[in-house]
Amino acid sequence: MDGIKFTLNGKEVIYSGSATDRLLDVLRNNYHTLSVKCGCKEGECGACAVLMDGVLVNSCCVAMGAAAGTSVVTLEGFRETERFATLNKAFGEASAVQCGFCIPGMVLAAEALLNKNPHPTEEDIREGLSGNLCRCTGYNAIVTAVQNAAKEGNGLW
Ligand code: FES
Ligand code: FES
């Protein structure tokens, strides 16, 4: 077997393990993309969210066989972009600073949302982030941050 080829943060990689391994585990254990967090392992919390061909997915629910040929982006890759800089600034200014456990997924969810819908309503934002759970700080500041990023990032998305 030739291994499972996919692109990780812009670089082609070949995974030689099983097609049934979880993308979440492979990203953390084999590629050290530790922004991808392991929470519920059941597709409920969004802590393990990554972008796969631009679509937000929970990597705990993706088998490596399904990752073949795709482009996977984690926060490690996304943070090199101008869109990240805009989101990062907006999150900071709105005091939407979350913990290291939930924020990577929140930021990637915001990116996926704005990519699909550059001018979201508050309801769109709440819906777009509904798969990313935070049990501590609430969501209002995050919603404001995404609204401001959408305004400031005019043309980026
Ligand atoms: Fe994947 Fe919770 S760890 S959704
Ligand atoms: Fe990260 Fe609540 S889970 S701030």
Side-chain angles (χ1 to χ4, degrees):
M1 168 165 156
D2 293 339
I4 296 166
K5 282 188 201 167
F6 66 107
T7 303
L8 176 57
N9 293 327
K11 208 172 128 198
E12 187 168 283
V13 293
I14 302 178
Y15 177 62
S16 54
S18 167
T20 60
D21 288 345
R22 287 176 203 249
L23 177 59
L24 163 63
D25 299 327
V26 172
L27 289 173
R28 289 184 56 83
N29 300 335
N30 296 73
Y31 298 108
H32 308 293
T33 44
L34 300 179
S35 71
V36 186
K37 298 292 190 277
C38 178
C40 65
K41 277 197 166 182
E42 291 181 349
E44 300 288 339
C45 73
C48 66
V50 299
L51 298 173
M52 182 179 267
D53 291 336
V55 176
L56 191 74
V57 298
N58 288 324
S59 61
C60 67
C61 297
V62 177
M64 283 309 297
T70 68
S71 171
V72 174
V73 173
T74 68
L75 195 70
E76 284 85 350
F78 182 59
R79 68 184 308 155
E80 304 301 325
T81 66
E82 204 179 335
R83 290 178 183 192
F84 172 81
T86 302
L87 278 167
N88 191 34
K89 182 165 171 275
F91 270 68
E93 285 175 357
S95 299
V97 180
Q98 304 292 112
C99 75
F101 202 79
C102 66
I103 191 78
M106 295 276 187
V107 169
L108 292 178
E111 157 65 9
L113 168 69
L114 291 173
N115 202 23
K116 204 167 69 176
N117 178 1
H119 305 290
T121 63
E122 178 178 341
E123 203 183 328
D124 295 335
I125 295 171
R126 289 188 186 275
E127 168 73 28
L129 299 179
S130 62
N132 294 76
L133 301 186
C134 164
R135 293 184 179 80
C136 13
T137 61
Y139 296 89
N140 291 345
I142 304 170
V143 171
T144 302
V146 177
Q147 282 170 328
N148 291 344
K151 272 183 225 141
E152 284 174 34
N154 204 1
L156 277 181
W157 284 280

